[in-house]
Amino acid sequence: MDKKQAEEILKKHNQGHILEYYDELDDNQKKSLLSQIEKLDFSLLDIDKKSGHGSDGRIEPLEAMKLGEIEKRREQFEAIGIDAVKQCRVGAVLLAGGQGTRLGFDKPKGMFNIGVNIELTIFERLIQNLMDVVNKSGSYVPLFIMTSEKNNDDTVQFFEENNYFGYDKDFVTFFIQDMAPSVDYTGKIYMEDKDRISLSPNGNGGWFSSLMNNKQAVKKIEEFGVEWLNVFSVDNVLQRIADPVFVGAVIDSGCVSGAKVVKKASPDEKVGVMCKKDGHPYIIEYYEFTDELKEARDADGEPAYNYGVILNYIFRIKELKCIMDVDFPVHVVEKKIPYMNENGEHIQPEEPNGYKFEGLILDMIMLLKDCLVFEVEREKEFAPVKNKEGVDSIDTARELLRKNGVSI
Ligand code: UTP
């Protein structure tokens, strides 16, 4: 793209200010800015078109496979899952492209030391968990790590320096997720510097298309013959990865996806709840959760919508490929966005000053035909590190690690 083409496209979208300092830039900076403009997805900025999740549609309960049933069939499921892991049919996708703003840690969240008496970073903790499956099955699980342009170099370097925490490096592939521009309240794209558009990771929903755009990752998937991907978040330090019992239960069920869930701690807990919408699996967000849904009961008199997702899903690749080109909803999130003002000064705002745009993984589920809802024990599998203090914080996660006998 040359300057003239950039001018035309920016004018069309009312974003001409992006080139304001173009003539002051050196050749490399000019090239870099033009390439950022070329990659911009302007459809994201059409705030009026954002449907988000939307609450229309017929909501019904989606029954979960509960702990009792899982316990009874554990051996059978585990055998199926181990077999799939042994044949490399299961890969794992670590979502580590987020910015972790609530934790307020200036490095990738996975580099955070969750240890107290020993050094134990979140990345090392996750690899330890994955090694349980490797040790049990005798095979490494192909691991794909999604980073963002902001944290990729630090993340890769950290794994290199730590020798992949003992994991076989040949089974690890990094891929970078796409970025989306941030805007002020009038829809104008913020600039971070004279040659830099303010961009941030485009949410965890873009993981599959970003993975498929990475040639090395696609080659590994084909070489190993991976059919299923277990996707999980970086911040749950009790996360079971490629859990053979979960994998086996989903394969056995004939479903094309599965979601690990925990029983809600209270009807008002702020988690997305599994249900069905217009016959498809769906995750209803806590802010869409009505009193009527809260009060609904199943045949046993238990709350009908009682299982919250913990960001641990398994998908069959074949079906994901079919929905790859569908336009996912874009969620508009109000955030504090550092920017360069009209005097060329860099501002770090104290209050939210605009919007970022994110796709969410939970929107994938509703495009699929079915999903096995699989209950796990909260105390054993759910210790998210989201906040500095309070709920889902460093302290609550440490407490749960201790309870589970993990040395920290
Ligand atoms: P969160 O929704 O908790 O976002 O991510 P975050 O960016 O980590 O934290 P906050 O909201 O700024 O405090 C859930 C999971 O999705 C990943 C995160 O790394 C985490 O594993 N994620 C999130 C991405 O990989 N990319 C994104 O753009 C956003």
Side-chain angles (χ1 to χ4, degrees):
M1 175 175 279
D2 59 24
K3 185 186 176 199
K4 196 156 171 288
Q5 287 166 321
E7 271 170 347
E8 270 167 32
I9 192 156
L10 292 176
K11 195 166 161 223
K12 191 164 136 213
H13 295 280
N14 204 17
Q15 305 285 353
H17 63 286
I18 291 178
L19 287 174
E20 193 177 334
Y21 298 100
Y22 184 84
D23 294 333
E24 288 178 22
L25 304 177
D26 67 29
D27 284 352
N28 278 340
Q29 290 170 319
K30 281 182 179 160
K31 224 164 118 193
S32 151
L33 184 57
L34 290 176
S35 124
Q36 291 165 54
I37 297 168
E38 191 169 11
K39 283 193 221 142
L40 277 179
D41 178 359
F42 290 98
S43 67
L44 281 175
L45 307 180
D46 192 353
I47 296 174
D48 295 340
K49 264 201 338 214
K50 303 286 162 313
S51 57
H53 221 37
S55 48
D56 304 342
R58 183 171 37 92
I59 301 285
E60 290 168 289
L62 176 56
E63 217 179 301
M65 181 180 272
K66 306 214 177 96
L67 293 175
E69 184 182 351
I70 296 168
E71 214 30 64
K72 271 193 222 138
R73 302 181 62 191
R74 173 170 292 276
E75 275 180 29
Q76 180 207 354
F77 290 154
E78 190 166 43
I80 300 173
I82 289 282
D83 200 42
V85 170
K86 271 195 174 136
Q87 295 171 26
C88 260
R89 284 163 58 210
V90 187
V93 180
L94 164 55
L95 301 175
Q99 291 182 294
T101 43
R102 284 171 286 173
L103 186 63
F105 179 59
D106 63 357
K107 300 216 176 69
K109 207 189 238 187
M111 286 172 65
F112 185 81
N113 178 18
I114 194 71
V116 179
N117 301 316
I118 55 165
E119 163 107 10
L120 179 62
T121 61
I122 295 182
F123 280 140
E124 179 167 11
R125 178 87 260 282
L126 294 174
I127 296 292
Q128 286 177 352
N129 282 351
L130 190 50
M131 282 307 292
D132 288 348
V133 185
V134 174
N135 291 333
K136 207 164 207 170
S137 64
S139 318
Y140 278 91
V141 175
L143 173 64
F144 302 92
I145 303 180
M146 182 165 88
T147 60
S148 78
E149 267 165 32
K150 301 223 176 212
N151 69 16
N152 181 68
D153 293 354
D154 282 347
T155 306
V156 175
Q157 195 186 340
F158 191 65
F159 271 85
E160 284 285 338
E161 279 169 7
N162 288 284
N163 198 21
Y164 291 72
F165 306 102
Y167 209 73
D168 185 337
K169 186 178 163 163
D170 290 344
F171 285 78
V172 181
T173 313
F174 295 91
F175 66 104
I176 300 180
Q177 72 175 101
D178 297 332
M179 303 288 274
S182 314
V183 299
D184 68 15
Y185 290 123
T186 69
K188 277 226 149 65
I189 295 176
Y190 273 123
M191 296 299 289
E192 228 166 59
D193 218 325
K194 294 179 178 173
D195 62 335
R196 232 169 342 110
I197 295 172
S198 166
L199 296 168
S200 61
N202 66 347
N204 57 29
W207 70 273
F208 189 65
S209 53
S210 301
L211 181 71
M212 288 294 112
N213 285 336
N214 184 296
K215 285 203 184 93
Q216 212 196 339
V218 172
K219 198 167 152 233
K220 290 263 164 159
I221 288 174
E222 282 167 3
E223 264 173 24
F224 287 125
V226 177
E227 289 170 24
W228 295 87
L229 289 171
N230 177 206
V231 188
F232 61 98
S233 68
V234 70
D235 43 38
N236 175 6
V237 290
L238 284 179
Q239 190 85 259
R240 306 307 313 165
I241 306 157
D243 169 4
V245 183
F246 179 42
V247 171
V250 175
I251 295 178
D252 180 71
S253 72
C255 289
V256 301
S257 69
K260 281 198 170 184
V261 295
V262 291
K263 209 179 231 177
K264 279 177 76 170
S266 73
D268 295 318
E269 193 187 7
K270 291 185 174 174
V271 288
V273 168
M274 281 303 307
C275 61
K276 262 201 283 189
K277 182 171 169 177
D278 294 334
H280 282 260
Y282 182 70
I283 291 157
I284 188 153
E285 286 284 24
Y286 65 91
Y287 48 81
E288 295 171 345
F289 207 56
T290 59
D291 286 345
E292 196 187 328
L293 294 176
K294 259 183 224 170
E295 279 150 27
R297 292 287 178 270
D298 66 14
D300 303 326
E302 294 287 322
Y305 301 92
N306 205 18
Y307 290 93
V309 287
I310 59 169
L311 222 174
N312 189 320
Y313 303 103
I314 185 161
F315 297 100
R316 197 160 67 181
I317 296 178
K318 197 163 92 183
E319 279 73 22
L320 289 181
K321 284 188 174 160
C322 299
I323 59 165
M324 217 176 124
D325 296 327
V326 174
D327 259 347
F328 285 101
V330 177
H331 299 255
V332 183
V333 201
E334 209 177 348
K335 293 252 177 170
K336 295 180 214 163
I337 303 155
Y339 68 103
M340 184 188 72
N341 70 11
E342 55 282 8
N343 304 322
E345 297 155 346
H346 295 100
I347 309 289
Q348 194 73 40
E350 299 282 320
E351 296 299 325
N353 59 335
Y355 302 118
K356 290 187 175 181
F357 302 95
E358 295 187 343
L360 299 182
I361 190 168
L362 47 80
D363 288 318
M364 264 184 167
I365 299 270
M366 67 193 218
L367 295 168
L368 298 170
K369 92 174 154 48
D370 47 29
C371 176
L372 179 75
V373 184
F374 184 89
E375 184 185 7
V376 298
E377 273 180 77
R378 175 187 287 263
E379 296 259 299
K380 289 194 180 156
E381 295 206 20
F382 191 42
V385 183
K386 294 280 184 198
N387 303 302
K388 250 191 188 139
E389 19 193 67
V391 184
D392 297 341
S393 64
I394 304 163
D395 283 346
T396 56
R398 283 183 175 150
E399 184 61 35
L400 282 162
L401 283 172
R402 284 195 195 97
K403 270 195 184 157
N404 280 279
V406 180
S407 306
I408 51 172

